[in-house]
């Protein structure tokens, strides 16, 4: 069984530029999460989807961050414009309902 | 909201020794407590979890204990091996599921030969 797939693995951009991350969850998983992981810290939830509906986006900085999950499968997370403080690892995870969440390998973003 | 504190931030043990990582949580309504292992550059992976109706759970060399009264839970690894070296994260959830996890800051475990 393929795991959660994220791309790109690494991204370096200049500040004020836009950036997008893509996530393909495990087949059949209806719940999808985006987490932010700063260096030396635990993951922090940004947004959670149940199918195509964002049911918890309270921690998503909506002035510059946006996300979508069209058709309830793949998801994209976008930052526009990026700031230096956005440098971090962006993790996607998925689960089937309330079961264990499986993480992707993450996208390491560096804003210069 | 929930706040999870984790100690120690780094832990070095000799191969074969035991390792203990401790976490405390603030919200007494939390009822699901998973532990994740993250090797360098890799994804976090669930290694064990416990729910609030259980005081202890064991899986081979790994065990987790929960004290609801004191609001703390611990990960115990016995007979440590070099491949146990990683960062370990505890987490807590008030929903009983992985849907609303608050993570600790992580413990870097180094198992030396």
């Amino acid at each position: 069984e393929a795991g959660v797939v994220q791309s790109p693995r690494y991204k370096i951009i200049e500040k004020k530029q836009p950036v997008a991350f893509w996530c393909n969850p495990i087949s059949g998983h209806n719940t999808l999460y985006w987490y932010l992981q700063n260096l030396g810290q635990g993951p922090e939830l940004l947004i959670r989807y149940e199918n195509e509906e964002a049911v918890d986006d309270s921690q998503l900085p909506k002035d510059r961050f946006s996300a979508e999950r069209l058709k309830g499968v793949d998801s994209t997370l976008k930052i526009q414009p990026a700031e230096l403080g956005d440098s971090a690892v962006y993790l996607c995870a998925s689960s089937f309902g309330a079961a264990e969440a499986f993480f992707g390998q993450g996208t390491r973003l560096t804003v210069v | 909201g929930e706040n999870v504190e984790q100690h120690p931030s780094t832990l070095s043990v000799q191969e074969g020794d035991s390792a203990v990582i401790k976490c405390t949580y603030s919200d007494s309504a939390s009822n699901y407590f998973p532990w994740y292992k993250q090797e360098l550059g890799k994804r976090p992976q669930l290694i064990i979890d416990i729910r609030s109706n259980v005081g202890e759970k064991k899986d081979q060399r790994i065990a987790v204990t929960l004290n609801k009264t004191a609001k703390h839970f611990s990960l115990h690894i016995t007979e440590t091996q070099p491949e146990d070296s990683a960062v370990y994260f505890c987490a807590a959830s008030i929903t009983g599921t992985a849907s609303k996890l608050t993570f600790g800051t992580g413990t870097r475990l180094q198992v030396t030969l």
Side-chain angles (χ1 to χ4, degrees), chain B residues 19-23 32-35 47-51 54-67 72-77 90-91:
Chain B
V20 180
I21 302 171
K22 299 181 179 181
C23 289
Y32 175 60
F33 308 92
W35 286 87
I47 56 172
I48 195 167
D49 57 13
I50 191 168
R51 298 183 188 279
V54 176
E56 183 174 358
K57 185 177 179 180
K58 189 173 181 180
D59 182 3
Q60 298 183 347
R61 296 186 297 108
I62 294 174
V64 58
T65 59
L66 171 65
N67 184 326
H72 68 71
F73 56 113
S74 301
L75 177 70
H76 305 252
I77 306 174
C90 63

Side-chain angles (χ1 to χ4, degrees), chain A residues 70-88:
Chain A
L70 299 176
K71 301 181 181 179
V73 181
D74 295 356
S75 177
T76 56
L77 178 68
K78 298 178 181 178
I79 308 175
Q80 182 172 14
E83 297 178 352
L84 295 177
D86 296 332
S87 296

Side-chain angles (χ1 to χ4, degrees), chain B residues 14-87:
Chain B
Q14 284 198 322
E15 183 180 8
D17 288 349
S18 295
V20 180
I21 302 171
K22 299 181 179 181
C23 289
T24 60
Y25 59 98
S26 61
D27 193 335
S28 58
S30 288
N31 51 16
Y32 175 60
F33 308 92
W35 286 87
Y36 286 83
K37 175 183 180 182
Q38 187 174 28
E39 296 178 49
L40 189 62
K42 297 191 176 180
R43 69 192 76 198
Q45 291 189 298
L46 179 72
I47 56 172
I48 195 167
D49 57 13
I50 191 168
R51 298 183 188 279
S52 58
N53 58 344
V54 176
E56 183 174 358
K57 185 177 179 180
K58 189 173 181 180
D59 182 3
Q60 298 183 347
R61 296 186 297 108
I62 294 174
V64 58
T65 59
L66 171 65
N67 184 326
K68 289 187 292 182
T69 302
K71 290 189 286 187
H72 68 71
F73 56 113
S74 301
L75 177 70
H76 305 252
I77 306 174
T78 59
E79 301 173 20
T80 54
Q81 300 168 3
E83 52 265 39
D84 294 329
S85 296
V87 178

Side-chain angles (χ1 to χ4, degrees), chain A residues 10-76:
Chain A
Y10 307 92
K11 188 73 176 181
I12 301 174
I13 62 170
E14 293 184 342
K15 61 181 180 181
K16 300 184 182 180
Q17 294 302 305
V19 64
F21 314 124
W22 176 80
C23 173
N24 177 236
I26 293 173
S27 179
H29 282 195
N30 58 325
T31 304
L32 184 145
Y33 315 78
W34 282 103
Y35 282 88
L36 165 70
Q37 186 174 26
N38 286 304
L39 187 64
Q41 300 293 317
E44 300 172 33
L45 181 67
L46 290 172
I47 189 168
R48 173 170 65 95
Y49 282 91
E50 296 289 347
N51 299 304
E52 61 271 9
E53 181 182 0
V55 296
D56 184 354
D57 62 356
S58 56
Q59 300 303 312
L60 189 72
K62 298 181 182 65
D63 56 337
R64 297 183 301 106
F65 286 67
S66 65
E68 62 181 11
R69 191 184 184 197
L70 299 176
K71 301 181 181 179
V73 181
D74 295 356
S75 177
T76 56

